[in-house]
Amino acid sequence: RVQHALNMLEPTSLPHQPVFKHMYNVVHVDEKWYYRTRKNQTVYCVPGEERPRRTCENKNYIEKVIFFAGYSRHFYNDQNERAFNGKIGIYAFVTTESAKRKSPNRPHGTLVTKAMTSVNGDVIRRYLIDKLLPDLKAKWPAERRLETIWIQQDNFRTHIPVNDPEFCAAAQADGWDIRLMCQ
């Protein structure tokens, strides 16, 4: 971790006046677990609005959902207008499948959204390639497209290696120079 911090210093500023890199071309990705609902939750409704219906199998075992987010530092153009707000995307690790049997909440065969119970390197790769990269390419400002964009991930064991061939092929497509790095 100390080495990662030292790598974020501008080499030309060393050793007397160390300055950190601007990091305008770094996209941070991370995962976060959230509970799907709470035992007690306050809901404010407009008069005449129906209260939202919450269901779970057991109030003591509330399901958790993991989200995957990509964000960057926002920056401004030459006219001091915000050119990019830094928000790339946030994606829930969920699957959609049909209900196997009927219940009081839904008939048999209804599409149900379920949280993924395990996330591995293959799932992370799919989310990086199918979700994050298209959003990054669509939202990244045109004037900064020619520089190398680094996607920084932490050292979580399910993250893909920085030289993953499938990711590298998708990241380098269409003339982009997008690369992975770990902390």
Side-chain angles (χ1 to χ4, degrees), residues 4 26-31 68 121 124-125 128 150-156 158-164 167 179-183:
H4 175 71
V26 178
V27 175
H28 303 276
V29 295
D30 203 9
E31 306 83 19
F68 182 71
I124 295 284
R125 181 183 300 106
L128 279 167
W150 294 92
I151 297 178
Q152 178 181 317
Q153 55 186 358
D154 55 17
N155 294 324
F156 192 54
T158 61
H159 283 167
I160 62 174
V162 296
N163 57 357
D164 183 79
F167 174 82
R179 303 176 191 181
L180 278 176
M181 72 176 180
C182 293
Q183 286 182 341

Side-chain angles (χ1 to χ4, degrees), residues 33 66 93 115-120 123 158:
W33 285 96
I66 188 170
F93 285 105
M116 288 185 188
T117 54
S118 68
V119 176
N120 57 25
V123 174
T158 61

Side-chain angles (χ1 to χ4, degrees), residues 36-169:
R36 199 166 200 183
T37 186
R38 297 186 205 141
K39 284 184 185 180
N40 300 319
Q41 186 172 350
T42 305
V43 177
Y44 298 99
C45 298
V46 176
E49 182 182 6
E50 189 175 318
R51 288 190 69 192
R53 194 159 160 244
R54 298 183 307 145
T55 61
C56 67
E57 291 181 24
N58 185 326
K59 68 179 182 176
N60 294 322
Y61 299 100
I62 296 174
E63 192 174 38
K64 287 169 61 173
V65 178
I66 188 170
F67 286 88
F68 182 71
Y71 50 92
S72 177
R73 184 175 175 188
H74 65 268
F75 44 84
Y76 296 85
N77 61 15
D78 295 335
Q79 291 78 31
N80 207 19
E81 300 167 340
R82 188 174 0 187
F84 180 60
N85 66 5
K87 299 175 186 175
I88 300 190
I90 185 165
Y91 319 97
F93 285 105
V94 294
T95 59
T96 305
E97 56 187 52
S98 58
K100 293 182 174 78
R101 52 186 171 265
K102 70 176 187 170
S103 76
N105 300 323
R106 66 188 169 276
H108 169 74
T110 303
L111 290 179
V112 179
T113 301
K114 294 191 174 204
M116 288 185 188
T117 54
S118 68
V119 176
N120 57 25
D122 293 333
V123 174
I124 295 284
R125 181 183 300 106
R126 291 276 47 96
Y127 271 67
L128 279 167
I129 294 171
D130 298 339
K131 296 180 184 285
L132 184 79
L133 282 180
D135 285 351
L136 173 64
K137 290 176 180 180
K139 295 177 181 179
W140 200 258
E143 63 268 13
R144 296 207 178 248
R145 184 177 176 216
L146 296 177
E147 62 187 45
T148 301
I149 302 169
W150 294 92
I151 297 178
Q152 178 181 317
Q153 55 186 358
D154 55 17
N155 294 324
F156 192 54
R157 62 180 163 79
T158 61
H159 283 167
I160 62 174
V162 296
N163 57 357
D164 183 79
E166 190 176 349
F167 174 82
C168 290

